[in-house]
Amino acid sequence: MDIRNEFLQFFHNKGHAIYPSMPLVPNDATLLFTNAGMVQFKDIFTGIVPRPSVPRATSSQLCMRAGGKHNDLENVGYTARHHTLFEMLGNFSFGDYFKEEAILFAWEFVTKNLGFKPKDLYISVHEKDDEAVKLWEKFVPFDRIKKMGDKDNFWQMGDSGPCGPCSEIYIDQGEKHFKGSEDYFGGEGDRFLEIWNLVFMQYERSNDGVLSPLPKPSIDTGMGLERVQALLEHKLNNFDSSLFAPLMEEISELTSLDYASEFQPSFRVVADHARAVAFLLAQGVHFNKEGRGYVLRRILRRALRHGYLMGLKKAFLYKVVGVVCEQFSNTHAYLKESKEMVMKECFEEEERFLETLESGMELFNLSLEHLNGNKIFDGKIAFKLYDTFGFPLDLTNDMLRSHGACVDMQGFESCMQEQVKRSKASWKGKQNNADFSAILNAYAPNEFVGYETTECCAKALGFFDSDFKEITDANPNQEVWVLLEKTPFYAEGGGAIGDRGVLLKDNEEAAIVLDTKNFFGLNFSLLEIKKALKKGDQVIAQVSDERLEIAKHHSATHLLQSALREVLGSHVSQAGSLVESKRLRFDFSHPKALNDEELEKVEDLVNAQIFKHLNSQVEHMPLNQAKDKGALALFSEKYAENVRVVSFKEASIELCGGIHVENTGLIGGFRIVKESGVSSGVRRIEAVCGKAFYQLAKEENKELKNAKVALKNNDVIAGINKLKGSVKNSQKAPVSVDLPVEKIHGVNLVVGVVEQGDIKEMIDRLKSKHERLLAMVFKKENERITLACGVKNAPIKANAWANEVAQILGGKGGGRGDFASAGGKDIEKLQAALNLAKNTALKALEG
């Protein structure tokens, strides 16, 4: 049975709109990853946005629970049901149906569609929810319904906001496999397995904890696909189901071990983590030192450690990841499209960690032998494993788990504090706490006319303060947001900054437009008020002249991405961008730095398309049709059913809502100014075009002219080579210096001062000239004394001699037994240093 499709079609037939799985990285600064099916509907549940026209929804949502509040990472491999990545089936009601229908739908699907026997099903409800008990009694005897407290059966989104009791459906997996004392309904054992949670969102909790009934109660449910698949196949462990079979076969082939062996937990960890790595990489998360990228790195390293336990000492996970990409290619096409890139990035990250894994394991195993009686692992060693060998702390704790030990956290934290603290994870951003529900209920989306014009007459529908509370009047020197009935100002998006400009009233400048942003489909412009404005005023909205330069840079990013894919391969995908009037920045997936030849090819390809003067074409079409046409899309972007497609003939075709030039010739020219790395697997190109391209060429031409004047040569390269030759020749010519030489007991002793020349070279010449030598030469330069000394067939070590003398000069020396150098700032003590140098040498020679 295709459980996913069966579920979605069941609820679609019940009037639910089917929503695609949202990205694992949510547009929500409070969440590290999408961890539940309701995340994409959060703004609807909280009332920030109005409920959709179809107030019922269903989805099969990919979820990650490997960081933040919900973290199951350390349980994977030790339990039958925990995963880092899993799929959650859910149905949702936004103030439409409530408990009765939710219970009816759930019972029908579980018993009829899935075929579970009613006699095996048990129900839990909140201890105060008598209504739910009565509704369930229509299907289940009372003795199979259990009331539980807030801990188990009350759900809330946060400390305040929508919340309510929940009801869970359990299935009895059979007495013969479960004999524990907790294997009763309501116990902690695994015999009675929860398969579906129905949340009855019927209250609003205020900041002081008071519960008030919601005017339109809602439904939020969640059922794990992996659990249901295992149950239908009569498996007691999710990892034993057909969903994981291809991965277990691949791991078995790589290790030459049987899945049913003693290494079964490691098989499960590797299989689970390979799925997480594949999906995260394919969705644009890359290995990094912080935030989501750091969680991804932890997942991979935990998998590698379990591979190591199974005898895998070389990179292997990338092969399992490749199987994941193939396995899910029908339901998640982007996995197959990015398979090559995903495997390559995984392989390179494995190689980096494997360089230190064996050494780290040796240190770990050695330290295990010195565990104290309390089974406390040295915190300093744990920190060294983390800092030097790249072992995340939870990986060390995971390894200690089988030994019944744990890390001395006080010792670990003490070491951590000595190091510069890791910067806060990038996902903990500041979020806009404004409540848009009132605005969205009062105003329909305003009309954007900026594709056709940069100026229009418009009515000011409303003004809003920084918290988006509506105000009637906008007075001089205030900064306010305005909602125009129609607007030519493009809102920040697709990498492009928001439009700037002015608002005119009675032919006078009334406000400067500082920025433009889109909130929930409404286009707002931020104003600096110059002349009083009020709600309902008619104004003329004018976009700044920099709009054309932004458009040039935006179109150039499209040509750039196309060129990168042609030069580097189809694995290249956009990982971020910034488009301004004077520059562009384009981040893209690629495992290594571009060489000069590749950069030149990319730059030439972009300019070739500019010089062809290709006309742009804008079309609107269904999303599937656009993808069939080959239009590139951002994975993280949420597209509507009908999309805007921007193309420049054969050069580029992308889904894009941005502003572009009508013809590539208007871009003028394109120049890459920098290529760099952003994170593992992500590169960045910075470039200029249009006026900025001309300005850069002008500045570089000026520098070239100045160089010609300075070199006194119109051929700059020839002038530089001539200058380099002169410098090289001057360095080659040795400075002739007469240094006093004394012969003592057959050893030539030289101690002296020079004003010019290379003292190290002088020492080399003296060593070549004399068979037995003790020489120390001093030189004043840059307000300090430097010295070099050489020893050849003489009873003293050059490094010890130099260090002793340097201390008088307030410095120190270093080197080898036959040659050393040193320096110091106490110039006035030069004579004392000379005396010490000679006396030390004489003492050594006198023996």
Side-chain angles (χ1 to χ4, degrees):
M1 178 191 292
D2 183 345
I3 299 170
R4 181 191 302 106
N5 185 62
E6 184 80 13
F7 184 90
L8 296 176
Q9 290 306 315
F10 173 85
F11 281 100
H12 183 61
N13 293 336
K14 302 289 186 185
H16 294 64
I18 298 176
Y19 283 74
S21 178
M22 72 177 289
L24 288 169
V25 176
N27 185 22
D28 186 333
T30 67
L31 293 175
L32 189 61
F33 294 111
T34 299
N35 56 27
M38 60 75 60
V39 171
Q40 67 172 310
F41 307 115
K42 182 178 175 181
D43 289 339
I44 301 173
F45 283 129
T46 56
I48 292 177
V49 299
R51 66 177 187 165
S53 56
V54 178
R56 302 181 176 197
T58 185
S59 69
S60 182
Q61 176 65 50
L62 280 170
C63 300
M64 273 288 297
R65 291 188 177 176
K69 182 180 177 181
H70 298 284
N71 184 1
D72 291 336
L73 179 62
E74 294 178 35
N75 291 320
V76 174
Y78 297 100
T79 72
R81 310 296 176 186
H82 282 102
H83 304 282
T84 53
L85 180 133
F86 61 96
E87 211 162 338
M88 185 176 283
L89 305 165
N91 61 288
F92 309 89
S93 165
F94 312 117
D96 185 30
Y97 64 82
F98 197 44
K99 292 181 186 179
E100 184 172 9
E101 292 90 341
I103 289 171
L104 174 63
F105 293 157
W107 184 258
E108 181 181 346
F109 185 78
V110 167
T111 57
K112 294 183 179 179
N113 294 72
L114 295 182
F116 290 127
K117 298 176 182 178
K119 69 179 182 65
D120 294 330
L121 299 176
Y122 290 71
I123 307 298
S124 71
V125 296
H126 189 261
E127 59 190 0
K128 295 180 181 178
D129 195 354
D130 293 330
E131 180 187 5
V133 173
K134 291 179 181 178
L135 290 169
W136 275 118
E137 280 189 288
K138 295 178 182 180
F139 309 106
V140 180
F142 181 75
D143 61 3
R144 281 197 269 131
I145 301 173
K146 187 175 184 64
K147 291 186 174 183
M148 296 186 181
D150 287 357
K151 180 182 176 182
D152 297 296
N153 282 70
F154 194 91
W155 181 93
Q156 56 190 53
M157 194 174 296
D159 293 334
S160 60
C163 58
C166 57
S167 178
E168 296 168 319
I169 302 175
Y170 290 78
I171 189 165
D172 182 0
Q173 297 188 86
E175 184 180 6
K176 65 178 181 178
H177 300 292
F178 303 92
K179 305 291 186 180
S181 59
E182 289 291 326
D183 284 315
Y184 59 89
F185 182 46
E188 296 295 324
D190 288 338
R191 175 180 166 182
F192 293 88
L193 180 68
E194 177 212 331
I195 57 172
W196 203 345
N197 187 17
L198 314 178
V199 177
F200 307 133
M201 241 182 281
Q202 64 188 90
Y203 299 113
E204 173 86 16
R205 189 187 293 277
S206 64
N207 290 329
D208 56 7
V210 176
L211 293 177
S212 303
L214 285 171
K216 291 188 176 180
S218 298
I219 293 294
D220 161 26
T221 81
M223 176 165 61
L225 174 63
E226 290 78 8
R227 287 192 178 193
V228 176
Q229 187 76 46
L231 286 166
L232 287 179
E233 295 175 5
H234 306 290
K235 305 294 184 182
L236 299 178
N237 190 297
N238 289 5
F239 292 99
D240 296 345
S241 77
S242 58
L243 282 178
F244 291 88
L247 306 183
M248 300 311 181
E249 289 172 10
E250 178 68 15
I251 298 167
S252 182
E253 187 173 327
L254 290 170
T255 59
S256 299
L257 296 170
D258 185 47
Y259 170 54
S261 69
E262 62 182 302
F263 294 102
Q264 194 173 71
S266 292
F267 267 77
R268 291 167 177 170
V269 170
V270 171
D272 172 274
H273 292 7
R275 293 186 358 145
V277 169
F279 275 95
L280 286 173
L281 285 175
Q283 292 194 17
V285 178
H286 300 278
F287 298 104
N288 209 330
K289 295 179 180 178
E290 58 184 27
R292 299 179 178 99
Y294 181 61
V295 174
L296 173 59
R297 177 166 284 166
R298 286 166 55 198
I299 293 171
L300 177 135
R301 292 184 174 184
R302 190 170 187 263
L304 292 192
R305 181 252 167 174
H306 280 273
Y308 184 90
L309 291 177
M310 293 187 287
L312 296 172
K313 304 298 173 67
K314 294 182 180 179
F316 72 92
L317 189 65
Y318 72 100
K319 295 180 180 178
V320 189
V321 162
V323 175
V324 176
C325 293
E326 289 294 335
Q327 182 185 3
F328 287 91
S329 59
N330 291 331
T331 54
H332 302 83
Y334 59 87
L335 276 177
K336 189 161 189 175
E337 293 168 4
S338 57
K339 176 183 173 183
E340 184 180 342
M341 179 275 293
V342 166
M343 291 180 67
K344 189 171 185 179
E345 192 169 339
C346 181
F347 172 79
E348 291 176 350
E349 179 68 16
E350 287 186 77
E351 290 281 277
R352 279 189 285 270
F353 184 50
L354 287 170
E355 290 176 4
T356 60
L357 176 60
E358 190 150 359
S359 299
M361 289 301 296
E362 287 178 6
L363 175 61
F364 175 80
N365 290 327
L366 183 64
S367 301
L368 274 180
E369 298 175 7
H370 302 288
L371 278 179
N372 59 31
N374 294 325
K375 297 273 187 172
I376 302 298
F377 190 83
D378 191 332
K380 292 180 180 179
I381 299 298
F383 181 79
K384 186 172 183 180
L385 286 169
Y386 159 79
D387 193 47
T388 305
F389 300 103
F391 284 45
L393 177 62
D394 54 1
L395 176 57
T396 301
N397 268 322
D398 189 53
M399 294 190 298
L400 289 169
R401 189 170 179 170
S402 60
H403 300 279
C406 61
V407 171
D408 167 21
M409 288 305 301
Q410 187 174 350
F412 180 87
E413 291 297 338
S414 177
C415 293
M416 181 66 84
Q417 288 169 11
E418 293 173 8
Q419 187 191 58
V420 177
K421 289 186 177 180
R422 185 184 303 277
S423 60
K424 289 186 177 180
S426 58
W427 61 278
K428 290 186 177 177
K430 181 181 178 182
Q431 62 172 341
N432 195 323
N433 291 317
D435 182 359
F436 283 88
S437 55
I439 302 174
L440 292 166
N441 286 322
Y443 299 100
N446 48 345
E447 182 185 1
F448 174 63
V449 297
Y451 291 132
E452 299 82 28
T453 183
T454 56
E455 179 178 323
C456 73
C457 294
K459 178 182 178 182
L461 296 176
F463 295 94
F464 305 85
D465 64 17
S466 59
D467 293 322
F468 285 88
K469 299 286 190 266
E470 188 164 4
I471 55 177
T472 304
D473 301 314
N475 298 310
N477 300 319
Q478 278 186 302
E479 275 196 11
V480 301
W481 293 93
V482 66
L483 183 68
L484 299 174
E485 187 173 26
K486 60 180 179 178
T487 176
F489 299 112
Y490 176 75
E492 177 186 316
I497 62 172
D499 272 337
R500 294 190 275 257
V502 295
L503 295 185
L504 303 179
K505 181 184 177 185
D506 301 330
N507 294 320
E508 292 183 3
E509 184 180 278
I512 299 173
V513 177
L514 303 173
D515 196 5
T516 305
K517 292 184 182 293
N518 187 291
F519 299 104
F520 304 107
L522 298 179
N523 184 313
F524 289 88
S525 287
L526 180 63
L527 307 179
E528 180 183 328
I529 302 298
K530 298 295 183 182
K531 182 180 177 182
L533 292 169
K534 64 180 184 300
K535 184 174 182 175
D537 277 351
Q538 292 288 337
V539 295
I540 296 176
Q542 293 180 345
V543 180
S544 165
D545 291 341
E546 69 177 353
R547 154 75 81 82
L548 178 58
E549 296 305 308
I550 296 172
K552 291 175 184 178
H553 283 86
H554 197 168
S555 296
T557 62
H558 282 220
L559 300 179
L560 172 59
Q561 179 166 210
S562 180
L564 286 167
R565 289 171 67 87
E566 184 172 337
V567 173
L568 304 178
S570 59
H571 66 276
V572 168
S573 61
Q574 183 175 336
S577 68
L578 174 67
V579 179
E580 298 178 330
S581 61
K582 294 182 180 179
R583 64 168 185 146
L584 68 85
R585 187 183 73 208
F586 188 78
D587 298 344
F588 57 97
S589 54
H590 189 61
K592 59 183 179 180
L594 279 68
N595 57 41
D596 291 341
E597 183 181 356
E598 290 170 329
L599 287 170
E600 186 175 351
K601 282 183 180 178
V602 169
E603 192 172 85
D604 287 348
L605 279 171
V606 174
N607 280 304
Q609 305 302 346
I610 291 172
F611 302 151
K612 287 180 182 178
H613 288 246
L614 303 173
N615 288 327
S616 65
Q617 182 181 14
V618 177
E619 302 172 275
H620 292 83
M621 62 184 72
L623 178 60
N624 290 335
Q625 184 182 334
K627 289 182 177 179
D628 291 341
K629 192 175 180 179
L632 294 178
L634 277 173
F635 185 86
S636 58
E637 196 72 24
K638 189 174 182 179
Y639 296 101
E641 290 184 11
N642 286 290
V643 292
R644 183 173 184 263
V645 180
V646 177
S647 57
F648 295 98
K649 293 192 175 178
E650 74 282 357
S652 167
I653 174 170
E654 291 190 31
L655 304 185
C656 182
I659 302 291
H660 290 274
V661 295
E662 295 178 354
N663 183 288
T664 58
L666 293 172
I667 298 173
F670 175 84
R671 180 78 171 279
I672 295 174
V673 296
K674 186 179 180 182
E675 191 274 348
S676 60
V678 178
S679 62
S680 175
V682 180
R683 305 300 301 176
R684 169 173 292 172
I685 279 181
E686 296 173 55
V688 294
C689 60
K691 288 182 181 179
F693 172 83
Y694 168 73
Q695 189 61 36
L696 177 63
K698 184 178 178 181
E699 291 171 0
E700 289 181 343
N701 190 48
K702 185 176 181 181
E703 289 179 2
L704 184 61
K705 287 180 179 179
N706 291 337
K708 289 178 179 179
V709 172
L711 292 167
K712 298 179 181 179
N713 195 326
N714 284 330
D715 187 337
V716 173
I717 300 300
I720 291 173
N721 287 335
K722 184 178 179 180
L723 182 61
K724 286 168 68 177
S726 299
V727 172
K728 191 173 183 180
N729 290 332
S730 68
Q731 290 175 337
K732 281 184 177 179
V735 177
S736 179
V737 178
D738 290 327
L739 288 165
V741 180
E742 298 180 60
K743 199 156 189 174
I744 301 171
H745 300 304
V747 177
N748 294 287
L749 174 62
V750 179
V751 175
V753 182
V754 297
E755 294 182 358
Q756 59 179 326
D758 187 334
I759 58 176
K760 293 181 181 179
E761 186 180 30
M762 292 176 192
I763 293 295
D764 287 339
R765 290 206 306 265
L766 286 167
K767 289 175 75 174
S768 299
K769 185 177 179 180
H770 302 286
E771 187 61 30
R772 300 185 70 192
L773 177 73
L774 277 178
M776 183 173 289
V777 180
F778 296 78
K779 180 184 175 183
K780 293 180 183 179
E781 56 183 354
N782 299 326
E783 303 299 322
R784 61 184 281 118
I785 299 290
T786 59
L787 67 88
C789 66
V791 175
K792 184 178 179 181
N793 298 323
I796 195 170
K797 298 291 184 183
N799 49 358
W801 189 21
N803 195 50
E804 182 181 359
V805 174
Q807 289 180 28
I808 285 189
L809 299 170
K812 60 182 180 179
R816 307 183 305 271
D818 63 335
F819 178 85
S821 60
K825 294 182 179 180
D826 293 343
I827 297 177
E828 68 277 5
K829 294 185 179 178
L830 175 58
Q831 188 57 52
L834 283 164
N835 294 338
L836 178 61
K838 188 168 184 177
N839 291 335
T840 301
L842 290 172
K843 186 176 179 181
L845 291 172
E846 293 294 339

